[in-house]
């Protein structure tokens, strides 16, 4: 090859490299400074605890601190809006909860959750448990359904607010079983659980990690789990799908980034999250919380989000759920 040919080839390669979109390129040193992860809920909840544990593993693996910031309000949409408007460089991330998929259906948002946020990784999923106060004369799902049909105004169910997984799952149950129960919303899980423990509210669909100790102490009665599989922590408690085959619901936690974040950065985060989830520390923590580690590509997580929005959108419309 002549010198001129080499020169032309070099120039062509240089132009080709310049033609690669900037979004497809990620700094080889990422991350080279602290990463901020926004938890759109108050400290101490399941999303906060999972994110802090995961952040510690990511910090150890990547050599940069993952700083957790709590920006609560409006079912998680305030924190999500902050991340949606952040620089798309991989240094501001969102730890989203299941409410993220339905907030566009319930709130007037200042951002487009589909266009302004990019899926990174599904961190984990968890069943809800259908629990009742011990005074409720029902020990199985069929008995609870029979009681609700016999006394339509007798049962109240607690939730952590409009659009929460507690409420949506309860409304799915009502629609599936053809029963009525009165909704009693609370500002947070702690007061809702307290009133179920006190018998002021009879029923709740609640995360396993929040009530396992109460169930084992006999202060609550577990009737069923909302996933198709039973959970190791409660091997004798059946799935609702045993009685209603199409019934399935689960809460989830996922990681998102501002739209436009370089694909290479998203892929790096996706791989590091799943590597962290396999560490003994995270597996032990997840087992104690009855959380199933997530998996899959960013694209698969995006498809999961769209399916969640579609599924719960139908329930929101059918049951006329609104934010008060």
């Amino acid at each position: 090859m002549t010198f001129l040919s080499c020169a032309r080839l070099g120039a062509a390669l240089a132009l080709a490299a310049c033609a690669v979109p900037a979004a497809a390129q990620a700094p080889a040193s990422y991350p080279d400074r602290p990463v901020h992860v926004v938890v759109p809920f108050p400290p101490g909840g399941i999303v906060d605890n999972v994110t802090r544990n995961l952040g510690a593993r990511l910090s150890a693996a990547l050599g940069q601190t993952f700083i957790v910031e709590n920006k609560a309000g409006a079912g998680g949409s305030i924190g999500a809006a902050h991340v949606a408007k952040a620089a798309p460089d991989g240094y501001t991330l969102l730890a989203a909860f299941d409410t993220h998929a339905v907030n566009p259906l319930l709130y007037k948002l200042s951002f487009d959750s589909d266009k302004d946020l990019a899926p990174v990784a599904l961190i984990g999923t968890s069943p809800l448990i259908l629990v009742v106060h011990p005074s409720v004369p029902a020990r199985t799902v069929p008995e609870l359904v029979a009681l609700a049909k016999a006394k339509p105004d007798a049962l109240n169910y607690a939730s952590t607010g409009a659009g929460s997984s507690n409420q949506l799952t309860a409304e799915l149950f009502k629609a599936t079983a053809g029963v009525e129960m009165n909704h009693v919303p609370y500002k947070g899980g702690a007061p809702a659980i307290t009133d179920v423990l006190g018998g002021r509210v009879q029923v709740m669909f609640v995360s396993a990690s929040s009530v396992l100790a109460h169930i084992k102490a006999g202060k609550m009665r577990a009737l069923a789990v909302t996933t198709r599989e039973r959970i190791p922590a409660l091997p004798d408690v059946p799935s609702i799908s045993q009685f209603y085959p199409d019934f399935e619901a689960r809460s989830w936690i996922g990681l998102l980034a501002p739209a436009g974040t370089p694909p290479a950065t998203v892929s790096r985060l996706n791989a590091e999250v799943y590597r962290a989830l396999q560490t003994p520390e995270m597996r032990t923590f997840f087992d104690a919380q009855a959380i199933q580690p997530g998996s899959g590509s960013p694209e698969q997580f995006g498809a999961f989000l769209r399916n969640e929005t579609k599924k719960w959108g139908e329930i929101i419309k059918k049951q006329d759920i609104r934010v008060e």
Side-chain angles (χ1 to χ4, degrees), residues 25-42:
Q25 303 176 25
S29 58
Y30 176 85
D32 60 8
R33 63 181 188 270
V35 177
H36 294 256
V37 185
V38 173
V39 171
F41 300 98

Side-chain angles (χ1 to χ4, degrees), residues 26 39 57 87 169 265 307 309 320:
V39 171
R57 307 282 81 74
T169 304
T265 299
N307 287 336
T309 300
D320 193 26

